[in-house]
Amino acid sequence: MAAVAQAIASIVVCLGLVSCAVIGADAMPAEKAYGLVDSSAPEASDAAGAPAATPDAASAPSLRERLLVRSAELGLEVARPEDAVARCETLIEGKGGWVERRDGGKLVARVPVDAFESVLGELRGFGRVLRDVVQAEDVTEQHRDLVIRLDNAKRARERLLALLEKAEKVEDLLKIESELRRLTEEIESMTAVLQNLDGRIAHARVAVEFRAPAGADRPARRRPSRFEWINRVGAEHVLRSF
Amino acid sequence: MSFAASERLVRTALLLALAFGLAACGSLRMDLPPSFLKLTSGERELKATTADDARLWVREFGDPERGDLAFWVQALRYDLEARGYRPDAEAALVRDAAGNAGELHRFSALLEGREYGYAIAVFLPSPGLVRVAEFVAPRERFDELVPAVRDALATLGG
């Protein structure tokens, strides 16, 4: 009975440490964060007595393994923005993406990260590029921390479930169930955050704005110049006269 | 003869004199940029085109008001912008074969759903005369060709 109460108390204390877990390379190993490992055990060391390399340093991802959230903002000058928006939607859907939002000549879409560069290349050919911003946010550490914390929380929940089966006193049962509820909520929350992050990694965000050349929407008719030769020059005259 | 009739007679005579004067100067001449082909044109105008439809047109107009270059350039820009032309770059000072100063202005124009580059150079080769050289090309070709057109203006004369 006392052992069960002690186990519950230690698990509760360790759960409190979950929200204080250090993010990044110095993150506490998962088992210690949830009190699942005897922290008094000496750390492994090589024959010379030097401390072993920390798991974090050994598993640091290479450049290729880094997880990136990619995004781009393009501003394009085109003859007909409405046609360009339609072409853009067709392009994005053809590459397996989707449009998140459309507002006049502005469009925000998600495209599979593998198609990101090819979509940008095709969009740049739509017209004159006025703005071209490409970004990549490194979320490797954030992702890894979430995975570790989620895994630890799930294991802690398994242990609590095992304790629940052994509990006899109503008081202990209620405590365990309360902690189980809280832990379940945290697991669900972290799962949602991780899924969102995975989605952002897998699908890059592309924001495009299509604009007509300035002055293109001015009425074609204007008051003729009082100077006849000025009325007779212009691109439209050149194009008609040849 | 009524006053109106005599006024018309004087104006006609002046125009004829101007025409003869211009004719005496010979045809307009210009060393065309590479890839341009001279088309058949009148004595006081010159037309040339490339195989992909970039066009060059040099013409002269009478200037009875005798405006100066600054005035004509400003009046021209005012009118072109009212038509929807969008200035594309800073104006450039240019000179023709005789050393007459001119200004070259560049614009973008949306015509029939397509974007074109348009450049116009204005010269005042003699009092009462405005000479313009216009260059039009689809936007994607315009930027490539306009430097050569600008260089060719230095050979414009006649």
Side-chain angles (χ1 to χ4, degrees):
Chain A
M1 197 68 58
V4 171
Q6 278 181 1
I8 293 170
S10 64
I11 288 173
V12 168
V13 169
C14 290
L15 286 174
L17 292 173
V18 168
S19 59
C20 303
V22 175
I23 297 171
D26 299 327
M28 191 185 305
E31 285 76 11
K32 286 189 179 178
Y34 276 90
L36 301 176
V37 169
D38 182 358
S39 59
S40 64
E43 291 201 34
S45 62
D46 59 14
T54 63
D56 291 341
S59 63
S62 66
L63 188 60
R64 281 193 174 190
E65 295 168 339
R66 302 209 74 83
L67 299 173
L68 304 175
V69 171
R70 295 183 183 274
S71 62
E73 294 177 22
L74 290 181
L76 297 164
E77 188 177 86
V78 295
R80 293 182 185 278
E82 59 278 9
D83 290 350
V85 166
R87 280 175 63 198
C88 182
E89 288 189 9
T90 303
L91 166 67
I92 286 166
E93 287 165 6
K95 297 283 188 180
W98 68 91
V99 173
E100 275 189 342
R101 194 167 74 95
R102 188 195 323 113
D103 177 12
K106 297 180 186 175
L107 191 142
V108 178
R110 293 279 180 179
V111 298
V113 69
D114 293 341
F116 181 58
E117 291 295 341
S118 73
V119 166
L120 292 185
E122 290 202 43
L123 285 174
R124 290 181 184 116
F126 277 34
R128 191 158 78 108
V129 178
L130 304 175
R131 178 176 165 77
D132 190 343
V133 178
V134 180
Q135 291 178 309
E137 180 191 357
D138 190 337
V139 295
T140 309
E141 301 302 331
Q142 182 185 352
H143 190 275
R144 186 174 66 170
D145 176 68
L146 263 173
V147 168
I148 289 171
R149 289 168 60 198
L150 184 59
D151 184 55
N152 290 341
K154 288 178 178 175
R155 287 200 270 165
R157 183 172 60 179
E158 293 303 314
R159 290 184 182 271
L160 274 176
L161 286 170
L163 273 177
L164 190 65
E165 287 181 7
K166 296 176 187 171
E168 293 175 0
K169 285 175 68 176
V170 172
E171 184 185 344
D172 293 338
L173 277 170
L174 290 175
K175 276 186 185 173
I176 295 173
E177 284 179 351
S178 173
E179 288 309 310
L180 270 173
R181 266 195 304 275
R182 198 168 72 89
L183 193 54
T184 300
E185 284 173 8
E186 284 194 17
I187 289 171
E188 287 172 355
S189 173
M190 283 191 283
T191 301
V193 172
L194 189 59
Q195 283 176 348
N196 178 270
L197 188 56
D198 284 338
R200 288 169 60 207
I201 292 167
H203 289 88
R205 181 179 181 274
V206 177
V208 189
E209 181 180 3
F210 296 104
R211 283 192 287 179
D217 57 349
R218 292 190 190 183
R221 292 177 183 266
R222 100 270 179 227
R223 193 172 163 185
S225 170
R226 65 175 63 249
F227 306 110
E228 185 53 33
W229 75 266
I230 290 179
N231 292 322
R232 291 166 59 188
V233 298
E236 62 271 33
H237 296 286
V238 176
L239 293 173
R240 274 202 299 267
S241 72
F242 276 56
Chain B
M1 186 185 292
S2 69
F3 178 76
S6 61
E7 193 184 342
R8 279 199 298 274
L9 185 61
V10 167
R11 196 180 300 155
T12 304
L14 282 171
L15 285 172
L16 281 172
L18 179 64
F20 282 128
L22 290 172
C25 300
S27 303
L28 281 174
R29 299 183 309 276
M30 185 174 176
D31 294 341
L32 293 174
S35 74
F36 277 78
L37 176 69
K38 183 178 176 182
L39 303 175
T40 304
S41 59
E43 276 198 0
R44 301 312 299 173
E45 74 169 351
L46 185 153
K47 287 182 179 177
T49 186
T50 64
D52 54 1
D53 211 25
R55 305 180 189 191
L56 179 63
W57 194 9
V58 184
R59 292 180 282 171
E60 291 178 339
F61 301 94
D63 175 18
E65 292 87 0
R66 304 283 181 105
D68 61 16
L69 185 62
F71 178 85
W72 286 128
V73 161
Q74 195 171 358
L76 177 66
R77 285 184 70 103
Y78 176 79
D79 189 76
L80 287 174
E81 289 182 35
R83 291 188 230 174
Y85 286 61
R86 188 168 48 85
D88 205 24
E90 294 292 322
L93 293 176
V94 289
R95 290 193 182 273
D96 65 10
N100 297 305
E103 283 192 26
L104 175 67
H105 294 256
R106 293 169 50 170
F107 301 86
S108 288
L110 188 65
L111 298 166
E112 297 174 359
R114 192 174 181 186
E115 189 173 356
Y116 288 88
Y118 174 71
I120 180 167
V122 182
F123 298 92
L124 303 182
S126 60
L129 191 66
V130 174
R131 182 183 290 164
V132 299
E134 298 171 272
F135 172 60
V136 178
R139 187 73 234 186
E140 58 273 14
R141 280 288 278 156
F142 179 80
D143 291 333
E144 292 175 37
L145 294 172
V146 75
V149 170
R150 178 182 172 171
D151 291 343
L153 291 174
T155 66
L156 176 59

